[in-house]
Amino acid sequence: MPEITLKENEKKYCFAADINKNIELIGGTVAGNGSIGWSNEGISLEKIAEKILGAKSVDILAAAVDDTLYPMDHIITKNHTVSFIFPTDPLGRRLRHYYALFCVLKSMHTLYHVPCTVQNYDEHGFSCTFSADFSFSDSVWSDFKAHLAAEIVSAALVQKRLPYYQAFSLLKQSGSSALVEQFITNEHYDGLRLVISGDFACYHEELAIADKNLYPQLELSYTCENNALIIRGHIR
């Protein structure tokens, strides 16, 4: 049965499952009296967090398993060191800012079919630049934000690696192929990792996590400079 070490406090937790696959946390590293055995299906990070952290687990965005990020539905089948990522952590803020950026890009594509030329994000916020050959007024901005709010709540993300030419075809349909062409090299020809929602896709090698509750905390602004629209945002 797996032994999970929580990185923050170096404590070890032992998990087991009975024949009905009810996951139990067994104190220390003691495996029990032999009547409980580990289920071959393993245990999800979500269930581990629930057993270790209780009510706090509902706020977790993702987890680092031996320093590799995974979504909370990832299944553990052997010993690992785990660190949980909360929304207010620097990495948690980075993940949330990427989700907000993705929804901005998708909303701009859906409403106006405008390609993004530059995008950046980190734990402090995000920005993206679009070629804007139309008038982006405050009333248009208001309509855009209403669409974005609905997109953040409803977007379902799928992240997978696709063969290069299949991935590039999706990126062209989404208007983001120019961004990818700037830095794709031969090392990417084993495929590209995309974040996909509906018929919209972005190239993104890092973990993408949906936070459907972030819009009320999102501060947004826009400027029009040199025939370009720049949208900036950060989470309060």
Side-chain angles (χ1 to χ4, degrees):
M1 63 187 69
E3 184 179 81
I4 303 301
T5 301
L6 195 61
K7 189 172 184 178
E8 285 78 4
N9 58 19
E10 297 299 324
K11 288 186 178 179
K12 297 182 185 296
Y13 300 86
C14 195
F15 290 86
D18 63 21
I19 57 174
N20 295 315
K21 299 180 182 176
N22 295 313
I23 301 299
E24 297 295 341
L25 169 62
I26 302 174
T29 57
V30 179
N33 60 12
S35 62
I36 298 177
W38 174 244
S39 169
N40 290 332
E41 283 98 352
I43 180 174
S44 70
L45 289 167
E46 184 176 31
K47 184 62 71 173
I48 291 171
E50 178 186 317
K51 291 295 182 179
I52 294 177
L53 301 177
K56 293 181 180 179
S57 65
V58 300
D59 296 325
I60 296 173
L61 292 176
V65 180
D66 299 333
D67 296 324
T68 300
L69 281 179
Y70 289 98
M72 293 301 289
D73 59 0
H74 180 70
I75 301 297
I76 296 293
T77 58
K78 58 184 180 180
N79 294 357
H80 290 288
T81 296
V82 172
S83 180
F84 294 114
I85 312 301
F86 288 87
T88 54
D89 296 337
L91 181 52
R93 290 179 62 83
R94 177 182 172 87
L95 292 172
R96 298 173 79 205
H97 280 137
Y98 177 75
Y99 180 60
L101 170 63
F102 179 88
C103 290
V104 166
L105 298 178
K106 185 181 179 187
S107 294
M108 286 296 293
H109 174 74
T110 300
L111 294 173
Y112 312 115
H113 300 285
V114 180
C116 179
T117 56
V118 181
Q119 63 185 55
N120 298 286
Y121 73 97
D122 58 20
E123 67 270 26
H124 304 295
F126 68 88
S127 65
C128 43
T129 303
F130 303 88
S131 299
D133 56 359
F134 62 97
S135 177
F136 203 84
S137 63
D138 286 347
S139 61
V140 175
W141 177 243
S142 179
D143 292 341
F144 167 76
K145 288 197 297 182
H147 187 279
L148 175 63
E151 188 65 53
I152 286 174
V153 171
S154 63
L157 303 187
V158 175
Q159 195 161 14
K160 57 185 175 181
R161 189 171 295 279
L162 296 174
Y164 178 83
Y165 291 105
Q166 182 181 354
F168 209 75
S169 175
L170 279 176
L171 293 172
K172 282 187 175 181
Q173 294 174 28
S174 303
S176 58
S177 58
L179 278 175
V180 180
E181 285 176 325
Q182 296 174 13
F183 57 85
I184 289 297
T185 63
N186 288 338
E187 67 187 43
H188 293 86
Y189 272 77
D190 62 340
L192 301 180
R193 191 177 185 191
L194 303 187
V195 183
I196 304 169
S197 179
D199 59 358
F200 182 77
C202 281
Y203 167 72
H204 187 62
E205 285 289 337
E206 297 183 289
L207 180 67
I209 294 292
D211 181 355
K212 299 180 182 297
N213 300 312
L214 70 76
Y215 186 79
Q217 304 169 49
L218 186 60
E219 296 280 355
L220 292 165
S221 65
Y222 80 93
T223 56
C224 294
E225 305 171 11
N226 301 320
N227 295 320
L229 168 69
I230 303 173
I231 296 178
R232 299 179 176 89
H234 71 275
I235 296 168
R236 293 192 298 269

